[in-house]
Amino acid sequence: MTEHWLPEFLRSPLAALIGEECTVTLVDQLNIFEPKCLRFALSKGLGLGIVLGGCVVKLPQLFKILKSKSVAGISLSSYVLELFANIITIAYNFRKGYDFTTYGEALFIGAQNYVITLLIMMMMGRASLGMAAGAFLVVFTYAMFSDTLVNSALLSALYGLTIPLVVSSRIPQIYTIHKNKYTGQLSAFAVFNYFFGTAARLYTTLVQVDDSLVLTGVVLATVANGILAAQMLYYWNAPAPKDKYRLDSKKNE
């Protein structure tokens, strides 16, 4: 039996993350270049990092909107489409029994998207519609997790639709930036975090998830996020157009 040189309070959470077998191989035996466990440990570590990053990825965008009191350059339809995709993604992966580290960021990003979507509607003078949409999304979420209301076959079909949905959620934002030649209140941190996060998620999906639907979605999301990241760099110092979605300007009209 291999002796444990790492203190138990450190070894236990590590074993919970990468499994006892790989903990013995990589930690207890110090066989850190064993290919199978090394790939798995890297995937789990990246997955955990992506989930933790998802907890804060949209907060800079939220704070930027609140500080500027403006939603200029931000596409409402992009957030609505992405939010639906988030909900379906969480439900599909959860009901399939996949490891939380392979999709968990969708939960935290979805919660942040929910708040930002309602905030955009409020600043565009659609507060009542925002409240109705918020209530509908709660009901929709419940339905996605209910096998009685949405069976596995239908959920798989809906998840398949999220693949073009994720891409189409980026298209309005990409078009808005291209049209305005300006990134507006779009958060650079969020955009680049999204791009690097989906690129890392591509690796974790290849290692941990044997599902062609999930892989296709991640590949296309990485491409779409890459285009947004490229636009952010290209229009970095572009001048601002007239802002019609600024709260201060509305008050002075």
Side-chain angles (χ1 to χ4, degrees):
M1 182 177 179
T2 305
E3 291 187 4
H4 304 163
W5 61 268
L6 191 67
E8 194 62 30
F9 75 92
L10 293 176
R11 190 182 185 281
S12 293
L14 185 61
L17 180 66
I18 67 174
E20 182 65 27
E21 180 182 347
C22 284
T23 302
V24 170
T25 301
L26 298 174
V27 179
D28 298 338
Q29 299 176 351
L30 292 178
N31 186 10
I32 60 175
F33 295 112
E34 197 282 318
K36 181 180 177 181
C37 282
L38 180 59
R39 284 196 304 270
F40 184 71
L42 285 173
S43 177
K44 293 287 282 189
L46 279 173
L48 181 60
I50 294 168
V51 172
L52 293 176
C55 296
V56 299
V57 66
K58 291 299 184 82
L59 292 183
Q61 181 68 79
L62 178 59
F63 295 148
K64 194 170 184 180
I65 292 173
L66 292 173
K67 181 180 180 181
S68 66
K69 299 179 182 179
S70 169
V71 291
I74 300 176
S75 170
L76 174 61
S77 56
S78 284
Y79 273 92
V80 172
L81 289 171
E82 185 182 0
L83 186 50
F84 276 108
N86 289 147
I87 295 168
I88 295 171
T89 296
I90 298 163
Y92 177 83
N93 283 275
F94 178 82
R95 288 172 59 174
K96 282 283 187 178
Y98 296 143
D99 194 302
F100 185 72
T101 60
T102 65
Y103 70 92
E105 73 278 5
L107 174 63
F108 302 107
I109 291 172
Q112 293 165 80
N113 281 337
Y114 180 80
V115 174
I116 292 173
T117 298
L118 297 184
L119 191 58
I120 292 172
M121 288 185 173
M122 183 191 75
M123 289 192 171
M124 295 178 72
R126 302 176 185 176
S128 298
L129 178 61
M131 292 178 65
F136 172 77
L137 286 167
V138 172
V139 175
F140 179 78
T141 301
Y142 176 80
M144 290 300 102
F145 281 86
S146 171
D147 191 49
T148 303
L149 297 175
V150 178
N151 61 34
S152 297
L154 178 56
L155 184 60
S156 294
L158 289 172
Y159 185 77
L161 291 175
T162 67
I163 296 174
L165 192 63
V166 168
V167 176
S168 63
S169 75
R170 297 291 184 268
I171 291 175
Q173 187 66 73
I174 291 170
Y175 175 73
T176 298
I177 294 173
H178 175 73
K179 180 182 177 182
N180 295 337
K181 312 297 183 187
Y182 175 62
T183 58
Q185 299 306 316
L186 198 62
S187 167
F189 174 83
V191 169
F192 291 119
N193 199 312
Y194 251 123
F195 172 62
F196 291 118
T198 49
R201 178 58 74 207
L202 182 58
Y203 175 78
T204 67
T205 301
L206 287 169
V207 173
Q208 292 181 252
V209 182
D210 184 17
D211 191 317
S212 58
L213 272 178
V214 176
L215 180 61
T216 301
V218 174
V219 168
L220 292 178
T222 302
V223 172
N225 288 331
I227 294 173
L228 266 177
Q231 285 184 310
M232 181 63 70
L233 289 172
Y234 188 76
Y235 295 114
W236 190 268
N237 292 315
K242 183 179 179 181
D243 187 349
K244 64 178 180 178
Y245 293 134
R246 184 179 175 87
L247 288 184
D248 291 345
S249 63
K250 286 187 176 184
K251 291 178 181 178
N252 294 328
E253 288 179 355

